[in-house]
């Protein structure tokens, strides 16, 4: 099939690579978010998908909105058979959905209808799910509600961060997306409508969502931090300034009150509503990331001080 691939961030790259390597399909163009400023120097850079397309000499479309008339006209000229999508990052109007013969087929990193929305991997970890996965489905106007072509499952490890889990799903999901395109092309695959049971939503994670509440039990604190690692990154306040937190370890022993710090020679503990957690690496404002023990030694934490 002639394909126009839509995607933007790094997790979409394995899928585009897999489709480029497929002998059954031709990626004739990609759609990605416009070039944006990034890094300390605020240089304007191509998205990972745009950069990969450039490497292969593929046309790159960067409409400010998917409803842009010039974009819709160019897409109609290309006349793709299908448009596979992985984390494109913009809403698709019906005028765009109607152009490809086989529609827009999205790879979504959850077992639909669970965790529809922008941050399914983060939501699954924070909720304490033991199993997640990825689904391919045909995009319809309602959010992530279209009929499903196929699924794969993935176990969530107790130590998984969102970044680690998304990395695995992006690789296994790429294989699922290619097999979905294959099945659509040869007519052996039909999408099955989602049920109304088990629907849940995973909205975009904000910086405020990443603020850790040590008034929660230790298991919830652990899951929250892993769910927002590496982006946007967990944090708490210490002495009125933001302290970034890497994943923690739950310690099976009595601990101090929620948020209170206990500094020992080889570890730094923080109290929660249940057991304490041992801090891993931390990063104070204007400082480099370091082991919590090194931070505590340099900060000279006083007895009874807390992470807020």
């Amino acid at each position: 099939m002639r394909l126009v691939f839509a995607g933007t961030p790094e997790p979409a790259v394995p899928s585009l690579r897999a489709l480029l390597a497929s002998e059954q399909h031709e990626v004739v163009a990609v759609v990605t978010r416009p070039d944006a400023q990034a890094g300390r120097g605020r240089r304007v850079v191509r998205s990972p998908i745009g950069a990969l397309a450039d490497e292969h000499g593929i046309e790159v479309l960067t409409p400010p909105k998917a409803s842009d008339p010039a974009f819709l006209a160019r897409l109609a000229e290309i006349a793709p058979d299908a448009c596979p999508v992985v984390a494109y990052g913009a809403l698709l109007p019906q005028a765009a959905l109607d152009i490809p013969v086989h529609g827009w087929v999205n790879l979504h990193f959850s077992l639909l209808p669970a965790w529809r929305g922008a941050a399914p991997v983060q939501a699954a970890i924070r909720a304490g799910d033991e199993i997640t996965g990825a689904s391919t489905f045909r995009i319809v106007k309602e959010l992530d509600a279209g009929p499903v072509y196929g699924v794969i499952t993935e176990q969530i490890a107790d130590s998984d961060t969102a970044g680690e889990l998304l990395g695995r799903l992006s690789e296994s999901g790429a294989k699922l997306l290619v097999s979905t395109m294959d099945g659509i092309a040869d007519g052996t695959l039909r999408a099955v409508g989602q049920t109304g049971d088990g629907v849940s939503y995973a909205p975009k994670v904000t910086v405020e969502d990443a603020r850790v509440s040590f008034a929660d039990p230790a298991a919830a604190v652990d899951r929250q931090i892993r769910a927002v690692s590496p982006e946007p990154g967990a944090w708490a306040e210490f002495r009125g300034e933001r302290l970034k937190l890497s994943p923690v370890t739950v310690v099976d022993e009595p601990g101090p009150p929620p948020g209170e710090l206990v500094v020992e020679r080889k570890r730094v503990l923080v109290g929660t509503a249940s057991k304490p957690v041992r801090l891993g690496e931390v990063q104070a404002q204007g400082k480099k990331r370091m082991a919590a023990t090194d931070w505590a030694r340099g900060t000279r934490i006083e007895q009874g001080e807390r992470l807020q």
Side-chain angles (χ1 to χ4, degrees):
M1 290 193 298
R2 284 170 50 84
L3 305 178
V4 171
F5 181 89
T8 298
E10 194 64 37
V13 168
S15 287
L16 178 54
R17 286 194 187 279
L19 288 168
L20 289 170
S22 171
E23 296 182 356
Q24 295 193 47
H25 310 290
E26 179 189 8
V27 179
V28 294
V30 304
V31 185
T32 191
R33 299 294 293 155
D35 299 352
Q37 292 182 333
R40 291 186 176 181
R42 309 307 294 165
R43 294 185 302 109
V44 176
V45 296
R46 196 71 126 171
S47 74
I49 286 299
L52 180 57
D54 289 340
E55 290 177 17
H56 288 265
I58 297 171
E59 181 178 358
V60 178
L61 306 175
T62 58
K65 293 183 179 180
S67 58
D68 179 66
F71 164 68
L72 294 174
R74 179 58 187 142
L75 189 63
E77 287 176 355
I78 296 172
D81 296 310
C83 293
V85 185
V86 185
Y88 169 46
L91 294 176
L92 298 167
Q94 192 63 46
L97 297 179
D98 291 340
I99 291 174
V101 175
H102 297 288
W104 296 64
V105 180
N106 191 34
L107 172 65
H108 183 76
F109 298 115
S110 82
L111 298 175
L112 292 171
W115 303 128
R116 296 175 179 174
V121 172
Q122 294 91 329
I125 291 176
R126 190 162 186 169
D129 293 353
E130 295 181 355
I131 299 291
T132 187
S135 309
T136 49
F137 70 96
R138 183 160 179 162
I139 295 178
V140 297
K141 190 172 183 179
E142 185 181 350
L143 178 66
D144 297 338
V148 173
Y149 286 103
V151 299
I152 50 103
T153 60
E154 179 76 31
Q155 186 169 356
I156 302 177
D158 291 340
S159 61
D160 269 338
T161 64
E164 291 165 344
L165 180 56
L166 183 56
R168 297 202 305 275
L169 287 172
S170 67
E171 295 291 343
S172 57
K175 298 175 183 177
L176 172 64
L177 184 59
V178 172
S179 67
T180 298
M181 292 294 105
D182 293 347
I184 293 173
D186 61 25
T188 61
L189 190 60
R190 294 288 183 271
V192 177
Q194 296 183 40
T195 67
D197 298 329
V199 176
S200 53
Y201 292 94
K204 182 178 179 179
V205 177
T206 67
V207 172
E208 191 57 36
D209 293 330
R211 183 172 187 168
V212 179
S213 171
F214 290 98
D216 292 334
V221 170
D222 167 48
R223 293 197 304 264
Q224 180 190 6
I225 293 174
R226 289 188 290 111
V228 297
S229 298
E231 295 293 338
W235 62 280
E237 277 192 7
F238 180 72
R239 296 178 182 172
E241 293 187 340
R242 186 173 296 184
L243 182 72
K244 294 183 179 180
L245 306 172
S246 67
V248 298
T249 303
V250 178
V251 180
D252 191 13
E253 61 185 58
E260 186 171 312
L261 291 156
V262 174
V263 179
E264 300 177 353
R265 190 167 68 88
K266 293 186 177 182
R267 64 181 187 174
V268 179
L269 302 180
V270 187
T272 73
S274 57
K275 303 171 183 178
V277 296
R278 185 178 74 225
L279 294 181
E281 291 185 328
V282 301
Q283 184 176 9
Q285 285 188 227
K287 303 289 185 180
K288 294 182 179 180
R289 186 175 291 271
M290 65 183 70
T293 49
D294 294 336
W295 166 76
R297 192 178 302 114
T299 306
R300 297 184 179 181
I301 295 170
E302 298 178 5
Q303 184 176 355
E305 286 196 283
R306 296 172 180 259
L307 293 181
Q308 302 292 337

